[in-house]
Amino acid sequence: MTENTGVRLGAAPGSRGRTTIADVVVEKIAGMAARDVRGVYALGSGFARSMGSMRERMPGAGSGKSATRGISVEVGELQAAIDLEIVVDYGVSITDVAAAVRENVISAVERMAGREVVEVNITVSDVKLPDDEEDAGEERQRIQ
């Protein structure tokens, strides 16, 4: 006696099972796509970046930058919604950068994860000024 499992012999391999994509996968894809846009200095707010930088210096706390800092997603079986918090370089058009980030993120997530992106909300939390690094360097020298 054989059991009928509902799978037709000769059915396409793609229809024989289910693929689940974790939220963190979409977060990483969106993060990499956003970082690739010219004019994006960093992801996350100043506080999140500071905490992440301290965490990166701690032994055993993980390897390198957090790929998902400043990103939150909701992923369903067919669709995804993405929220990004970015810091832009001084002098760039924020609206142009946001549009480029949105376009790049949507393209990458739809291509790689196969989910329709219904929205990409972007919060610009800071602007990286040209003299910010110089000030940070002076502060580090004083603290040593």
Side-chain angles (χ1 to χ4, degrees):
M1 181 171 188
T2 58
E3 184 178 318
N4 184 0
T5 60
V7 176
R8 296 175 309 166
L9 292 178
S15 66
R16 296 183 194 179
R18 186 170 143 186
T19 302
T20 303
I21 298 175
D23 289 4
V24 71
V25 172
V26 175
E27 287 174 350
K28 287 181 179 183
I29 293 169
M32 292 303 294
R35 285 181 182 87
D36 283 346
V37 174
R38 175 179 236 110
V40 174
Y41 175 74
L43 297 178
S45 67
F47 179 73
R49 289 192 325 275
S50 297
M51 294 305 292
S53 137
M54 287 184 352
R55 196 175 20 234
E56 288 166 11
R57 291 187 201 119
M58 296 175 65
S63 57
K65 288 183 174 181
S66 170
T68 60
R69 185 180 307 138
I71 306 166
S72 66
V73 302
E74 292 179 36
V75 181
E77 288 188 31
L78 302 173
Q79 298 178 324
I82 302 165
D83 295 326
L84 298 169
E85 187 172 0
I86 66 173
V87 177
V88 298
D89 290 319
Y90 176 80
V92 299
S93 166
I94 294 173
T95 55
D96 290 348
V97 169
V101 166
R102 193 171 281 114
E103 183 178 326
N104 215 30
V105 167
I106 290 170
S107 174
V109 170
E110 288 183 348
R111 180 177 45 83
M112 295 176 69
R115 300 297 186 266
E116 176 192 10
V117 178
V118 294
E119 65 181 10
V120 176
N121 299 310
I122 299 172
T123 300
V124 178
S125 62
D126 202 355
V127 173
K128 163 58 176 80
L129 300 175
D131 59 344
D132 282 352
E133 285 182 17
E134 294 168 14
D135 292 343
E138 290 173 11
E139 186 175 309
R140 272 190 226 119
Q141 288 176 346
R142 195 174 72 230
I143 292 175
Q144 292 177 355

